[in-house]
Amino acid sequence: MRFAKGHGTENDFVILPDPDGELQVTEETVRLLCNRRAGIGGDGILRVVRTSALGETLAPAARTAERAEWFMDYRNSDGSIAEMCGNGVRVFARYLLHAGYVRADRFEVGTRDGAKGVVIEPNGDVTIDMGRVERQGTSSAKLARQVVHGAQISVGNPHLACEVEGPVADVDLSQLPELDAEAFPQGANVEVYTETAPGVLEMRVYERGSGETRSCGTGIVAAAAAATPEGEGATWRVRVLGGECTVYLDASGARLSGPAVIVAEGETVLV
């Protein structure tokens, strides 16, 4: 099985090129590939498949993905399917260029949350159009040593973005957050953030299906949206454990910009 490895602000992924949709990617396969001791290691899997090879399997919410030639079939490291992954789209786009599947500096990537516009910036950063960010009320989460309160945010997938006092490094994210099952029937990513300077946030995240990760693109957008007064636009630099991204919020939605790199390619034999 051919693979590549890439990351966006150290949110890392195993990339499986499968243009014609021939691979059978099971939960067990995903867990093995993402295992950092017994496999390649990653926060998730990006299967690179032509949208036309998916046939009638796309859900109604993803129908605009049909206009994109390439579809990002994203799986969390536990094998579960996620609707959207912001850093994943940026790494996926970088791989399409790296592999020669696309040659333009503007194109679209299909996801389960629809088609996402991509721009390759002159400095090499990858910017994606995340679409509209939806505020859905407030809720709370019980962490290992505290309860946090925040905004329910949808960035194609569900988030609880919580502003905290003091350094985010002091927050214990070692355990699965306990969420309100009625508010989040499918679970959610939980972000803790604080504003460290005007226009600058620091954030950490516990990702649904992956645990704490070094970065989360949709989580970065969710934290920026939660920190912005409703109805206003803003630009935020968001610092995570693995680096920094920029979020642009306006009336049309959100854009996420930051680095994305391919670090390795090879072949693996699953046993």
Side-chain angles (χ1 to χ4, degrees):
M1 178 185 290
R2 294 290 302 171
F3 76 91
K5 180 75 181 285
H7 77 90
T9 52
E10 299 182 5
N11 194 189
D12 61 339
F13 307 95
V14 179
I15 303 160
L16 301 179
D18 183 29
D20 299 320
E22 298 172 338
L23 292 179
Q24 297 297 317
V25 182
T26 66
E27 290 187 9
E28 182 180 5
T29 298
V30 173
R31 289 193 294 268
L32 178 58
L33 289 172
C34 291
N35 189 296
R36 297 190 182 277
R37 295 187 181 273
I40 298 167
D43 294 324
I45 293 286
L46 306 175
R47 184 170 70 111
V48 182
V49 60
R50 285 191 175 88
T51 308
S52 59
L54 297 174
E56 299 299 319
T57 62
L58 286 178
R63 284 305 177 194
T64 62
E66 292 179 341
R67 69 182 186 229
E69 180 180 4
W70 295 98
F71 186 85
M72 181 186 75
D73 177 15
Y74 177 67
R75 315 293 176 97
N76 296 310
S77 61
D78 67 353
S80 61
I81 294 174
E83 302 89 342
M84 176 56 183
C85 178
N87 285 331
V89 174
R90 294 191 302 106
V91 173
F92 188 94
R94 173 63 65 205
Y95 179 77
L96 291 179
L97 285 163
H98 172 82
Y101 289 147
V102 300
R103 300 189 183 279
D105 59 5
R106 291 176 180 266
F107 53 93
E108 289 187 316
V109 168
T111 76
R112 290 184 175 85
D113 188 46
K116 303 298 179 183
V118 174
V119 177
I120 308 301
E121 304 292 352
N123 68 355
D125 282 357
V126 180
T127 299
I128 61 172
D129 183 349
M130 301 288 288
R132 292 191 177 277
V133 180
E134 296 181 18
R135 291 173 175 263
Q136 300 175 331
T138 60
S139 191
S140 61
K142 182 179 179 182
L143 307 181
R145 292 190 287 115
Q146 68 189 100
V147 174
V148 292
H149 307 274
Q152 290 179 242
I153 304 284
S154 174
V155 192
N157 57 350
H159 293 263
L160 179 65
C162 305
E163 185 174 14
V164 296
E165 295 183 2
V168 295
D170 292 345
V171 178
D172 188 342
L173 291 178
S174 62
Q175 298 179 19
L176 175 68
E178 295 182 22
L179 295 163
D180 180 346
E182 185 174 343
F184 297 106
Q186 305 300 320
N189 294 0
V190 176
E191 293 81 31
V192 292
Y193 71 89
T194 188
E195 185 173 355
T196 58
V200 180
L201 301 178
E202 285 191 357
M203 187 199 87
R204 287 172 60 209
V205 57
Y206 192 105
E207 286 200 63
R208 176 187 60 169
S210 297
E212 184 178 7
T213 56
R214 302 281 295 175
S215 179
C216 171
T218 54
I220 287 171
V221 173
T228 303
E230 193 163 4
E232 296 186 16
T235 298
W236 292 97
R237 293 164 53 201
V238 183
R239 295 171 178 165
V240 292
L241 296 175
E244 179 177 301
C245 288
T246 302
V247 179
Y248 306 94
L249 295 165
D250 57 31
S252 65
R255 288 176 293 134
L256 172 69
S257 188
V261 297
I262 304 301
V263 299
E265 291 182 282
E267 190 165 325
T268 182
V269 177
L270 296 179
V271 296

